[in-house]
Amino acid sequence: GTNGKGSVCALLESILCEAGHRTGLYTSPHLINFSERIKICGHAIPETDIEHGLQLLKSVSENWKHSPTFFEISTALAFWWFRNQCEISIIETGMGGRLDATNVVIPETSVITPIALDHSKWLGSSIAEIAAEKAGIIKPGRPVVSAIQHPDAEQIITTCAQKLGSPLRFATSPCELPVGLPGEHQRWNAALAILALESANFRIPNHALTSGLTNTAWPGRFQKIGGRWILDGAHNPHAAQALVSTWLSHYGDLRTSVIFACMADKEASSILKILEPITSDFHFVPVENDRAILPADLCTLTGHASQAHTSLQDAIGRVMNSPSPPSHGNPALITGSLFLVGEAMTLLEKFRETGQKSFTESD
């Protein structure tokens, strides 16, 4: 899908591990450390295994005419590490589906989360075109489960499943059990995860289902840090709408300072427009990525109060020293890119450890 893939994977892993299954989880991107991408029951791949696996992959590919991509190497490393250690592997696709490096597997079940416009340069300029790429993970005779979709996407998925003889089910109502991840959209993600387990014929004890849903952790998705900050990697309009909905359910009409960064291939103007109803002022920052939009350019995309900063550190300092600094009842929001969220997690941890009252450029 477009959004929710990582959350559904995290929910599945939590439930299966609570049920006693040794479960591998492969996701992307990472927030701070590469090893976050490859885990077994919550434990990240050790650095020694990363080194050994990469040396092995280099030895078999160094003479290839076309070098494997970073994502292909990461995927192969995950498969190599999981190969003799897991009963079940949960594999998150990268960008699309049909041509995705992860799509070499024959799954117990395929899962498609909500499809929206994103990565249009590579996947297509319409919902139908993107859905055709996403539906490429459906395998002959293997079950597939899907979130409720835009009619164009639903038609593509249904047609593909019928052609391949793949039983198809849609999650038609949100999960009624408590879910540890905040937001109504996470209740829908939980319903999709449960449906996936049913379609794959996994029998999950009720206690494991309940505790798995409640104890799921997925960093960077409406994640509260220190009571004063909320981090959410909403990087497209569909994700931004879910973020705003979750904010309103927690804080009503309270407006907040928003620290924001965005990649150039994203719909920055639309995302900012969606965020404006919960925003008192925007603080635009750079991130360590060549695809990032310059903070000054982001200022031109909104008529809202905004300021461009030379660093995330400077923006955090400005927000913390504002007349209404973030507090438990009035947190600030950091969003727009998972790259930004990862940088913020590192910086806020530094703040917590040092006990600093503010961040400035000189710190």
Side-chain angles (χ1 to χ4, degrees), residues 16-230:
L16 288 166
C17 288
E18 289 284 350
H21 295 285
R22 189 162 175 80
T23 307
L25 175 64
Y26 175 57
T27 58
S28 61
H30 61 273
L31 295 176
I32 298 174
N33 190 290
F34 173 84
S35 63
E36 298 168 26
R37 294 171 178 248
I38 307 172
K39 298 180 179 180
I40 296 178
C41 279
H43 299 287
I45 181 173
E47 294 292 332
T48 53
D49 285 349
I50 293 176
E51 181 179 354
H52 179 53
L54 290 179
Q55 289 175 344
L56 177 63
L57 292 171
K58 180 181 179 181
S59 69
V60 300
S61 65
E62 58 187 350
N63 294 323
W64 291 1
K65 182 178 180 180
H66 299 288
S67 298
T69 66
F70 172 82
F71 188 72
E72 288 168 342
I73 291 172
S74 302
T75 303
L77 180 65
F79 291 165
W80 169 79
W81 198 54
F82 293 163
R83 72 197 188 287
N84 295 320
Q85 301 193 72
C86 301
E87 299 173 70
I88 303 164
S89 294
I90 301 166
I91 309 298
E92 180 190 5
T93 59
M95 185 187 303
R98 183 176 66 91
L99 298 177
D100 198 85
T102 61
N103 204 30
V104 297
V105 303
I106 304 299
E108 294 298 319
T109 188
S110 299
V111 184
I112 303 178
T113 65
I115 294 172
L117 291 174
D118 198 15
H119 298 299
S120 294
K121 179 179 177 181
W122 297 275
L123 301 181
S125 58
S126 69
I127 292 289
E129 289 176 335
I130 294 173
E133 294 296 322
K134 304 291 187 181
I137 67 168
I138 302 174
K139 298 298 195 303
R142 299 285 177 159
V144 55
V145 299
S146 172
I148 292 177
Q149 303 286 359
H150 182 282
D152 292 347
E154 180 180 344
Q155 181 180 359
I156 293 291
I157 293 168
T158 301
T159 300
C160 181
Q162 289 173 344
K163 286 182 178 179
L164 295 174
S166 301
L168 170 63
R169 297 171 67 187
F170 287 89
T172 56
S173 60
C175 178
E176 296 183 358
L177 296 171
V179 179
L181 302 177
E184 177 69 11
H185 61 292
Q186 296 294 7
R187 296 179 61 222
W188 283 94
N189 285 335
L192 189 55
I194 293 170
L195 192 61
L197 293 170
E198 292 176 357
S199 72
N201 293 318
F202 287 118
R203 296 182 179 180
I204 305 298
N206 287 336
H207 71 86
L209 182 62
T210 302
S211 59
L213 290 171
T214 303
N215 296 327
T216 301
W218 192 229
R221 282 73 175 178
F222 212 81
Q223 178 185 4
K224 297 181 181 180
I225 293 185
R228 296 188 293 180
W229 300 94
I230 291 178

